[in-house]
Amino acid sequence: MKLAILTFQFAHNYGALLQAYALKEFLKSQGHTVEIANYYPDTFKDTYSINPFAKGVPLRGRVKRVLQYPLRAPQAEAFEAFKQNLLCLNEESGEQSAICDKLNKYDAVIFGSDQIWNTRLTKNDTLYWGEGICTKKIAYAASLGTSALNAEQENACCRLLPEYSHISLREFGLEMQVGKLANKEIKVVMDPVFLLDESKWVKLIRQPRMQSNYMLFYFLFEDKRLLQAGLEYAEKRGLEAIEIHPTLAARHKGCRLVSQIGPQEFLGLIGNADAVCTNSFHAMAFSTIFGKNVIHIPNPSSPKRTTTLLERVGMSLHIGNELPLYCMSGIDKTILNGQINSSKDFLLNSLRA
């Protein structure tokens, strides 16, 4: 089949780009022709632009971007190179009508994964729900990014999701409500990064400058308790605290911030780390794939991503004052592999139906 994927392929975010790559590569391995739609709405462009002179940037912001540019430019280039060389994106467009015309020529469009149904992120861009697309529509591991549906999400579920042939979500918690609103059976599946096995990810690794004796810190939001737990863990084991961030925005005392880290270097840093400290779901996911010790506290606004993953490997979320340390090398791989195979079956059967 000739397939298109609609997701967040533009983001300078490790998880977003690696999940897009995984879904594309898995479908290609099944004999399909696959392209990622290069839809880049203006809504998101300011978020990832490092151009000091971009339209709408206030004077103070321009000065800050000028000062940061020499450091951020190589980092941004690493993301852009991954997008062009491994996602193989075609010409970019922010026009809904143009993207719809193109997508309607495919045998099917797969929506997901990532938080494409989080209307706070997309500013309620209904293209991510499939409006205007008339070909076969399948949702794979789509995420709403919330613990409760807002009015825009409820409306989209009622109005647009009935047009889908098959729907799956990434997290437990909202599947029954979404199913009732859409009048569809909803499956909860694994994030696309689990569709590729560890050996495939190892081949993609670009080795980092440091090879061992470090703990990797990757924070997407501030959490003093998590930082303190990670630093204490690293100190007791004589590990250097190495910190990364896709936009180099995070800087914490006691950690050494390293730059020029694209998605492939991100994989290498997790793969070679002695341990990981993070509140990123995808860093947690890759720590699971690579069998790492990981100190993790999920985002309080959307913890279901983590709790769903832990449930699938026979663990539960640490609460209270308990050290949030998870030994992912000790998980029962038969449980995890069963969940992965079930997710693959859902996707492939959706295409055959």
Side-chain angles (χ1 to χ4, degrees), residues 13 20 22 29-30 43 52 95 173-174 195 206 217 253 256 278 285 287:
N13 176 286
S29 74
Q30 303 302 305
T43 304
E95 293 293 327
L174 293 174
L195 299 177
R206 185 169 289 164
F217 288 72
K253 185 177 180 180
R256 178 164 68 91
T278 188
S287 296

Side-chain angles (χ1 to χ4, degrees), residues 286-351:
F286 281 109
S287 296
T288 303
I289 290 170
F290 291 128
K292 298 295 174 178
N293 286 347
V294 55
I295 293 179
H296 177 79
I297 298 175
N299 187 331
S301 65
S302 54
K304 281 294 184 179
R305 287 177 284 178
T306 294
T307 56
T308 297
L309 175 58
L310 291 173
E311 287 175 23
R312 287 173 152 161
V313 296
M315 292 183 174
S316 57
L317 187 68
H318 297 325
I319 58 175
N321 294 321
E322 185 179 6
L323 178 66
L325 174 65
Y326 302 90
C327 301
M328 306 314 285
S329 60
I331 64 173
D332 187 342
K333 285 291 184 74
T334 58
I335 298 175
L336 178 61
N337 289 336
Q339 297 283 349
I340 293 171
N341 289 333
S342 176
S343 300
K344 290 178 178 179
D345 289 342
F346 167 84
L347 181 55
L348 297 178
N349 289 335
S350 299
L351 291 170

Side-chain angles (χ1 to χ4, degrees), residues 25-99:
E25 290 301 303
F26 172 72
L27 291 169
K28 283 175 59 181
S29 74
Q30 303 302 305
H32 300 292
T33 300
V34 190
E35 184 175 315
I36 296 175
N38 199 6
Y39 179 52
Y40 195 176
D42 290 340
T43 304
F44 289 103
K45 287 189 175 178
D46 286 344
T47 304
Y48 300 107
S49 173
I50 64 172
N51 180 4
F53 307 106
K55 183 179 178 181
V57 179
L59 179 59
R60 181 176 293 183
R62 291 186 192 280
V63 173
K64 183 178 180 181
R65 288 192 183 191
V66 167
L67 295 175
Q68 293 178 337
Y69 190 83
L71 187 61
R72 289 192 62 187
Q75 181 93 348
E77 288 172 6
F79 281 99
E80 291 302 313
F82 184 90
K83 287 158 63 175
Q84 295 305 316
N85 299 332
L86 290 163
L87 298 187
C88 304
L89 300 177
N90 54 22
E91 186 177 356
E92 176 189 302
S93 176
E95 293 293 327
Q96 288 191 13
S97 59
I99 291 292

Side-chain angles (χ1 to χ4, degrees), residues 143-353:
S143 176
L144 295 130
T146 57
S147 56
L149 298 181
N150 60 37
E152 290 83 5
Q153 290 170 322
E154 288 186 354
N155 179 60
C157 287
C158 291
R159 189 169 64 88
L160 297 169
L161 292 193
E163 299 174 357
Y164 281 65
S165 65
H166 296 79
I167 300 173
S168 63
L169 302 179
R170 189 175 64 182
E171 298 96 20
F172 290 114
L174 293 174
E175 67 275 17
M176 291 184 66
Q177 187 177 356
V178 171
K180 184 176 180 179
L181 291 169
N183 195 27
K184 293 281 185 180
E185 180 181 356
I186 308 295
K187 173 84 171 175
V188 180
V189 296
M190 300 294 289
D191 186 274
V193 300
F194 289 98
L195 299 177
L196 302 185
D197 61 30
E198 182 181 356
S199 65
K200 295 285 198 314
W201 290 118
V202 168
K203 289 179 181 178
L204 194 66
I205 281 176
R206 185 169 289 164
Q207 293 294 346
R209 294 183 291 277
M210 61 291 296
Q211 295 298 316
S212 60
N213 300 318
Y214 66 89
M215 184 173 195
L216 179 67
F217 288 72
Y218 176 38
F219 285 25
L220 290 177
F221 60 94
E222 288 302 309
D223 190 320
K224 292 181 180 179
R225 178 191 166 210
L226 181 62
L227 177 64
Q228 187 62 32
L231 289 174
E232 290 177 0
Y233 181 97
E235 183 178 9
K236 287 179 182 179
R237 290 156 181 79
L239 303 175
E240 183 182 7
I242 297 295
E243 181 170 29
I244 62 171
H245 191 274
T247 64
L248 305 179
R251 293 174 182 267
H252 294 104
K253 185 177 180 180
C255 299
R256 178 164 68 91
L257 181 68
V258 294
S259 61
Q260 299 184 44
I261 305 299
Q264 290 175 270
E265 291 81 7
F266 170 78
L267 290 174
L269 282 169
I270 293 180
N272 288 296
D274 290 84
V276 177
C277 181
T278 188
N279 48 33
S280 156
F281 165 75
H282 278 109
M284 181 69 166
F286 281 109
S287 296
T288 303
I289 290 170
F290 291 128
K292 298 295 174 178
N293 286 347
V294 55
I295 293 179
H296 177 79
I297 298 175
N299 187 331
S301 65
S302 54
K304 281 294 184 179
R305 287 177 284 178
T306 294
T307 56
T308 297
L309 175 58
L310 291 173
E311 287 175 23
R312 287 173 152 161
V313 296
M315 292 183 174
S316 57
L317 187 68
H318 297 325
I319 58 175
N321 294 321
E322 185 179 6
L323 178 66
L325 174 65
Y326 302 90
C327 301
M328 306 314 285
S329 60
I331 64 173
D332 187 342
K333 285 291 184 74
T334 58
I335 298 175
L336 178 61
N337 289 336
Q339 297 283 349
I340 293 171
N341 289 333
S342 176
S343 300
K344 290 178 178 179
D345 289 342
F346 167 84
L347 181 55
L348 297 178
N349 289 335
S350 299
L351 291 170
R352 296 187 191 107

